Amino acid sequence: MVNTNIRRMKKEDLPEVMDQLLRLKRLNSEFDCSFTVSEESKPDIEKYLTKILNDDAHVLLVAEYSSRVVGILMADILFRIYYTPKYEARIREFYVMPEYRRKGIGKMLIEALRSTLKERDIILITAEFPSLNLIAQDFYRKLGYREIVSIYGQTSTNGPCP
């Protein structure tokens, strides 16, 4: 999308980023009840984001359009002791506001991540999202990603969720 700026997240972006993270998490809860959002977590989320803002173990990017944050991408840098390549960037949070989707912003965020990682010689990028999120599956497949790991879960109650 023309006039969209992809940049590193700043402290001033926290309110908009937190809003989008909670939107993302509410969306995730539609795929599985294990992802039920706790509204009491806002102070913890803000504290966590502030802590990792300038941490080398994370990459936090925003898409800005008309002075408004319209998309976010957050990746963790993981050390893979048993494997080559030794480092992986795992996209844990990725969200584009609904009215800005299908305009290339998601792809721009991924490309900015790729460029940032290239400077650090990190070539493996993975993405984590709910298994039933077919939109995310389709998005990543179109970019050449493939499924490489599955995670299964169970609660200690009789039902699928507490």
Side-chain angles (χ1 to χ4, degrees):
M1 182 174 199
V2 181
N3 299 325
T4 302
N5 180 35
I6 308 298
R7 60 171 174 76
R8 289 205 176 255
M9 187 180 122
K10 299 184 255 184
K11 189 168 178 65
E12 305 84 71
D13 299 322
L14 277 174
E16 288 177 290
V17 168
M18 285 184 55
D19 177 62
Q20 289 182 36
L21 279 172
L22 288 170
R23 286 173 178 238
L24 169 64
K25 300 309 178 184
R26 286 185 199 102
L27 174 65
N28 286 349
S29 71
E30 294 178 22
F31 297 111
D32 191 288
C33 53
S34 297
F35 298 119
T36 302
V37 175
S38 169
E39 295 298 329
E40 297 84 40
S41 296
K42 285 181 182 180
D44 294 329
I45 296 167
E46 185 171 2
K47 183 177 177 182
Y48 173 71
L49 289 174
T50 302
K51 179 182 173 190
I52 68 169
L53 199 54
N54 298 306
D55 182 345
D56 281 347
H58 302 86
V59 178
L60 287 71
L61 302 173
V62 297
E64 184 180 50
Y65 181 77
S66 295
S67 301
R68 180 177 179 214
V69 173
V70 299
I72 58 172
L73 184 152
M74 297 170 60
D76 297 343
I77 307 301
L78 307 173
F79 178 64
R80 300 165 15 114
I81 192 167
Y82 301 106
Y83 304 111
T84 299
K86 284 294 179 200
Y87 290 93
E88 163 191 351
R90 180 162 309 156
I91 300 168
R92 298 229 194 239
E93 316 297 349
F94 185 74
Y95 187 80
V96 176
M97 299 289 285
E99 60 270 31
Y100 295 93
R101 293 181 189 158
R102 302 185 99 36
K103 298 179 188 307
I105 293 174
K107 191 173 180 181
M108 289 171 66
L109 282 162
I110 297 286
E111 286 305 314
L113 174 64
R114 188 177 310 286
S115 294
T116 300
L117 296 172
K118 188 175 184 180
E119 297 168 7
R120 297 173 63 177
D121 293 323
I122 298 172
I123 60 170
L124 177 61
I125 302 173
T126 59
E128 182 179 301
F129 54 88
S131 298
L132 297 177
N133 186 336
L134 302 179
I135 295 168
Q137 285 181 27
D138 186 52
F139 173 78
Y140 286 109
R141 282 193 180 122
K142 284 181 179 173
L143 293 176
Y145 288 66
R146 63 184 171 80
E147 187 174 350
I148 59 173
V149 68
S150 296
I151 296 174
Y152 289 78
Q154 179 186 51
T155 60
S156 59
T157 63
N158 290 336
C161 288

